[in-house]
Structure formats: C-alpha cells, structure tokens
Amino acid sequence: MLLHRAVIPCLRQACRLQSVPSRLCIRACSTNDSLQPQCPSLDFSGANSSTRGWRVMGTLLGLGAVLAYHDHRCRAAEKSPRIYTREEVKSHSSLETRIWVTLGCEVFDVTEFVDLHPGGPSKLMLAAGGPLEPFWALYAVHDQAHVREILAQYKVGELSPEDKAPSTLKTSDPYADDPVRHPALKVNSQRPFNAEPPPELLTENYITPNPIFFTRNHLPVPNLEPETYRLHVVGPPGCQSLSLSLDDLYQFPKHEVTVTLQCAGNRRSEMTQFKEVKGLEWNAGAISTARWAGARLCDVLAKAGHQLRETEAHVCFEGLDSDPTGTAYGASIPLARAMDPEAEVLLAYEMNGQPLPRDHGFPVRVVVPGVVGARHVKWLGKVSVEREESYSHWQRRDYKGFSPSVDWDTVDFDSAPSIQELPVQSAITEPKDGETVRSGEVTIKGYAWSGGGRAIVRVDVSLDGGLTWQVAELDGEEQRPRKAWAWRLWQLQAPVPAGKKELNIVCKAVDDSYNVQPDSVAPIWNLRGVLSNAWHRVHVRVTP
C-alpha cells in the first residue's frame, strides 16, 4: 500500500513527461551528477523509524521505477525514430506545408524558427525542403555546438537509409559528368547548366563565394586532368609555339586582381516583360565578383614572341568544351588590351584562393577585367593572335546589340560590333520585388558596376518611382582610376513616408565618365535581350 501511494503519483508525472519536448529527454537521461535526483537523508532513529524508513524506501523505489520507465522511453525513441524519404522532406517547403530541412541523416521541422533566424527568414527559406549542408558550407559560423543544440530541438525524424537519389542520367549523356551545384542557385537551364544566386545572397559579401558565383555554360563541362593539361599558345611566324602545363604557368609571375564578371544577358527578363526576346531568362543575378590569380596574358604572349602591332589584331581564345560536332566555345579581345600590363588580363588558375571550380574553368580560364563575361573563355585550350576577331559563333553571331526596330527577319550581325565593355549598371537586391516591409524605416541594398574600368561615383535611390531621390552609401573596396574592375555594393536606410501602403523603389548608378542608366527598357530593347541596364525597379508593400 505504501509503495502504491508512492509510485502512482510518480507514474502520473511520467505520463505528463510524455508530452515534454525531446530535448528534455536528453536531460532526464543524462548521467551528469548535477542532474541526479537528490535523495532524502535516511534517519531510522525514533519510535516510528521503521515506518518512516519503509516510506522513504518505497518512495525511492517508486522514483526509480519512474526513471527507469522514462529512460526506457528515451532509449526506445532513440532506437526507433520516424523515417522519411527525401521526397517527403521536399514536400515540406512552405509555411503552409511546414518547413523541413535535413542535416546529415536527420530531419528537422524548423517552421517555428523561421522568423527567429538571425540572418532573416528568407535565408533559411532557401534550404526549405532540402539539406542545410550547402548553406552551412557558405556560412561556417553555423557549424558550432550551440547552433546544433538549437537545431536538435526541432528534430522530427531521420532520412531513410535506402533512399538514395539515383542518377537519372545515362552514360551516353554528354552532361552526365557535370559537377554538383549549390542548391541555392536559381537554375535558368539545366543542360547546359546556367544559374544565378538569389538576390539576398548576391550582395551578402563583397567577394562572391565560389559555390554561388553565377554560372554561364554554353556546352557540357569538360573534366580535365591537371597532370595532362596543356595550353597551346601559337607563336608568330618564325617563332615556335608554346605548349604550357600548369607547372609552366606557375613559373610566370603570379598576379592577383579582384574582378566582377557580368553576363551580357544580365536582367534580360526585364526586356522580355516589355517585348519577347530570345535567350535565357536572367534576372539581376548574372553577375558576381571574385579574387582571381594567375599569369598575365601579356607575359605569356611575350614569351611566345608576340608584340604590339601597328595594324589591328585580335587575341583569339578557344575552350576545351565542345558540342557533339567537336565545335569548341571561342571568343577574342583586341591585342592592344591583351598586351597592356595595366589591363591586367589573366590566364587564371585560382578563384578566391582556391583552384578554379570545374564550372568556372578548371584548370585555366581567361579573365578580362572590365569586359563582358562572354570573352572570359573557360577551360582554355588554345591562344592565338589573328588579323580578325574570332570566327566563333559566340563572337560573330551573338552578344551584339541592335536597334529596337531590328527583328530576326532584318538582323545583320555583321553590321554591329561584338560587345566588349559593358555599360553602367546597378540593381536592387534587398528588398525583393513583391516583398512586404514594415513601416518606419526600410533598408535597401544593391550593387553597381561599370565596364572598362570606369568607377562608380554615385548611386541614386528613389522610393516613389523616380520623383525624388536619395544618395546611397557606397561600400566595398575603393576603386582605382581607370582600373575599377569590380563592383561597388551600396545601401540606403530611409524613413518610409507616413501613410504609405506601398513603395516603388528605383535605383540608378553614375560612373566617373558621368554615364547614367536609362530610365526605361523601351529605347534599349534588342532582339537578343543584351545590355539591359535600365533603372532597376522593385515594388514592395508596407505593413504597419
């Protein structure tokens, strides 16, 4: 009877413990002395010592039974977690379906943590329905004990060990050997792979992390062995050509430079909204910045015996990527730029202190500061100096701008020069179009860049569609005169006008030649959707 009285209340308590979050289970099962139940002192003196002793003993036995029962439940929970497939996790990618993520083999429901995420809800939502590892690799600060403890509170199960995503690619598929890409990238085409980072990640850092650097491929990605790689540099008449290994390139003086690359089709989607164009639907993310290192092109050309010429000449590049007919990607730049040490054209073999990733040209690519990304040939296999520019399709029949009146029936590609230096550009990365912001104050962020080494001197921002303007604060590295190869990040903190329920945010940049972006797409529209640099516009709602 005494045991019954001691044990029953404890069992009731154990029943209540069943509803306690699993993190308490860890504490209850801990062997830490500080967490052990404190036993009452056993004093058997006095007339009723025997009765009191039995009562205490009964209590201890009851408590022991409860702890043993709870320990059994903890161990059972550890042995038999809920099992989910990757498809099930993938289906939980919105607030309506709840937000699930994985880390290793564990599954977590982080719906309640989304609004608490220190980096903002949008950053966590990028991983919704998928793995956290690619994002933790970008932001190593997450891989700490206290972060894992927070995450452990939201565990709901584990991934099925049999659920391994099988490759659906056939061995005959030329894209079967493409590298693995970061899941945050917004894919514009899978084969060939073309993708851009989401705007909220694009300007998180002045230097774009390699995994989310925008990717522009025209053909399957070659898988080249560094030990057998050779760069063929054609010498001038009477001189011997060079066949350079990676080790040979390392012998040239190493040069480093921070350069922004921008695709000619960046922001093409805005032209499509005005009038249909042909090309990938790039938003404002076909631009990124890296610290490149390699041999100066002028040093390598000089080693092969090349010099500046009085007549026009072009340095032609040919990649080791090719289509089924064997046609490789090619492009060219003027010899005068290539031979100018101040132009800092590189045969790059490092990107942000690491060997080039495969998607970005491993083992060697061309980096031409201030020039459109289409001329930065990846997986470089051949360099030659010619009287005319490259005969590649992408030099002669693409990446050229035309009048808005020209259509595909009347276009004459020979009538327009190939794009080299790009016009002044800027875009808003935060807030995103359609987002809701709070009244009071709004923070606006973005990037600005101009081709040809022209520095950004000002970014103007408007909250009312361009009626009134405020000057943004420029961040990032100071720009050198005539050698401003990289973007400027900018931001503006501005009060939201009282009573406003929506904002039409606009930005425009000015470079040191006082070039400024046009106010609309209409006068610069062209059939290929290139050179899109009108004022960038974002419409947001305001909540009290």
Side-chain angles (χ1 to χ4, degrees):
M1 187 67 179
L2 293 174
L3 286 173
H4 176 79
R5 290 175 180 173
V7 170
I8 291 302
C10 293
L11 288 177
R12 289 173 179 162
Q13 178 65 19
C15 292
R16 288 194 291 270
L17 284 172
Q18 293 180 35
S19 63
V20 175
S22 60
R23 61 183 181 275
L24 296 184
C25 190
I26 298 171
R27 178 174 291 274
C29 297
S30 172
T31 58
N32 188 319
D33 291 342
S34 65
L35 300 179
Q36 297 304 311
Q38 300 299 309
C39 298
S41 174
L42 299 182
D43 182 3
F44 294 96
S45 62
N48 298 319
S49 60
S50 176
T51 302
R52 285 198 301 271
W54 278 109
R55 286 178 179 172
V56 171
M57 188 64 70
T59 301
L60 290 177
L61 287 171
L63 182 58
V66 171
L67 290 177
Y69 173 76
H70 189 57
D71 180 68
H72 170 75
R73 288 188 56 81
C74 289
R75 294 180 184 277
E78 290 174 355
K79 290 179 181 178
S80 305
R82 287 290 301 274
I83 302 300
Y84 300 99
T85 66
R86 287 181 176 83
E87 280 301 313
E88 286 178 293
V89 174
K90 189 177 180 180
S91 68
H92 293 275
S93 58
S94 68
L95 292 175
E96 290 73 24
T97 60
R98 301 194 68 80
I99 307 301
W100 286 16
V101 296
T102 66
L103 185 66
C105 64
E106 297 179 297
V107 180
F108 306 90
D109 180 348
V110 296
T111 309
E112 307 306 324
F113 186 68
V114 169
D115 287 335
L116 303 176
H117 186 246
S122 62
K123 304 287 180 20
L124 182 55
M125 288 296 290
L126 291 171
L132 287 172
E133 283 89 345
F135 301 93
W136 282 26
L138 277 178
Y139 301 102
V141 67
H142 288 82
D143 197 9
Q144 298 184 47
H146 75 277
V147 179
R148 289 182 176 272
E149 288 175 6
I150 294 172
L151 185 62
Q153 301 177 26
Y154 300 98
K155 182 175 177 178
V156 293
E158 295 186 358
L159 285 171
S160 170
E162 289 80 25
D163 183 23
K164 298 185 179 181
S167 174
T168 58
L169 299 176
K170 299 179 181 179
T171 54
S172 60
D173 187 339
Y175 295 97
D177 196 34
D178 268 17
V180 175
R181 278 83 180 214
H182 198 283
L185 292 171
K186 177 188 177 296
V187 179
N188 291 321
S189 76
Q190 194 68 49
R191 305 182 186 184
F193 186 79
N194 291 281
E196 59 189 296
E200 59 266 37
L201 291 185
L202 183 59
T203 51
E204 273 283 300
N205 302 285
Y206 178 72
I207 298 295
T208 311
N210 290 356
I212 60 168
F213 198 100
F214 90 94
T215 299
R216 177 65 174 112
N217 294 334
H218 297 82
L219 299 164
V221 177
N223 195 356
L224 305 173
E225 295 295 333
E227 295 79 11
T228 58
Y229 170 78
R230 294 294 182 273
L231 172 61
H232 185 55
V233 183
V234 180
C239 293
Q240 189 174 1
S241 297
L242 303 178
S243 179
L244 302 175
S245 66
L246 265 180
D247 284 338
D248 293 331
L249 282 173
Y250 296 156
Q251 303 311 308
F252 288 89
K254 183 178 181 180
H255 187 70
E256 296 187 50
V257 60
T258 303
V259 177
T260 294
L261 267 63
Q262 181 182 213
C263 178
N266 190 35
R267 299 178 57 197
R268 178 182 282 131
S269 59
E270 295 166 48
M271 283 196 173
T272 301
Q273 293 172 12
F274 175 75
K275 183 180 177 182
E276 185 179 359
V277 300
K278 289 186 178 181
L280 297 172
E281 286 289 294
W282 294 107
N283 292 309
I287 183 172
S288 299
T289 298
R291 183 75 176 171
W292 309 92
R296 288 181 189 259
L297 178 58
C298 60
D299 293 340
V300 175
L301 290 176
K303 181 74 173 179
H306 289 288
Q307 299 177 349
L308 279 174
R309 302 181 184 182
E310 293 183 1
T311 57
E312 184 180 18
H314 303 263
V315 179
C316 298
F317 307 114
E318 189 174 294
L320 293 171
D321 50 336
S322 60
D323 65 16
T325 69
T327 302
Y329 183 86
S332 61
I333 62 173
L335 177 63
R337 181 183 292 272
M339 293 297 295
D340 183 2
E342 294 300 305
E344 302 186 272
V345 183
L346 293 185
L347 301 182
Y349 46 74
E350 285 184 5
M351 180 180 180
N352 293 331
Q354 300 175 355
L356 296 175
R358 281 184 60 203
D359 258 332
H360 299 291
F362 180 82
V364 177
R365 74 172 300 164
V366 183
V367 173
V368 192
V371 167
V372 65
R375 313 304 168 212
H376 299 233
V377 176
K378 299 187 282 190
W379 313 291
L380 187 64
K382 181 181 177 181
V383 178
S384 62
V385 178
E386 311 292 347
R387 292 182 178 179
E388 296 188 18
E389 67 178 357
S390 171
Y391 278 93
S392 165
H393 164 83
W394 293 280
Q395 186 81 22
R396 299 282 185 125
R397 292 293 179 267
D398 201 354
Y399 297 121
K400 294 184 176 184
F402 297 94
S403 166
S405 64
V406 174
D407 59 29
W408 287 100
D409 294 326
T410 59
V411 64
D412 176 10
F413 276 95
D414 291 329
S415 68
S418 301
I419 300 171
Q420 293 284 339
E421 298 178 1
L422 286 170
V424 64
Q425 174 72 276
S426 73
I428 299 162
T429 58
E430 293 185 48
K432 294 188 294 185
D433 189 52
E435 192 172 323
T436 298
V437 301
R438 293 187 179 279
S439 59
E441 190 174 68
V442 61
T443 298
I444 306 163
K445 297 181 179 181
Y447 65 78
W449 183 78
S450 191
R454 292 178 288 275
I456 296 298
V457 297
R458 196 179 77 239
V459 174
D460 299 326
V461 181
S462 173
L463 303 185
D464 53 16
L467 296 177
T468 60
W469 298 91
Q470 303 177 58
V471 178
E473 178 182 350
L474 300 180
D475 299 325
E477 293 181 5
E478 291 295 326
Q479 297 185 316
R480 298 170 294 170
R482 299 177 302 282
K483 296 176 71 173
W485 307 131
W487 61 13
R488 293 300 298 268
L489 303 184
W490 56 264
Q491 65 175 322
L492 174 71
Q493 290 183 316
V496 176
K500 283 287 185 180
K501 295 184 178 180
E502 59 182 30
L503 299 176
N504 292 310
I505 307 174
V506 180
C507 74
K508 61 181 175 71
V510 182
D511 69 21
D512 61 8
S513 293
Y514 284 98
N515 297 308
V516 66
Q517 296 171 249
D519 63 352
S520 63
V521 166
I524 60 172
W525 183 93
N526 58 87
L527 76 174
R528 277 292 283 118
V530 294
L531 308 170
S532 181
N533 73 324
W535 294 358
H536 192 225
R537 303 170 185 270
V538 168
H539 179 266
V540 299
R541 295 180 294 275
V542 179
T543 184

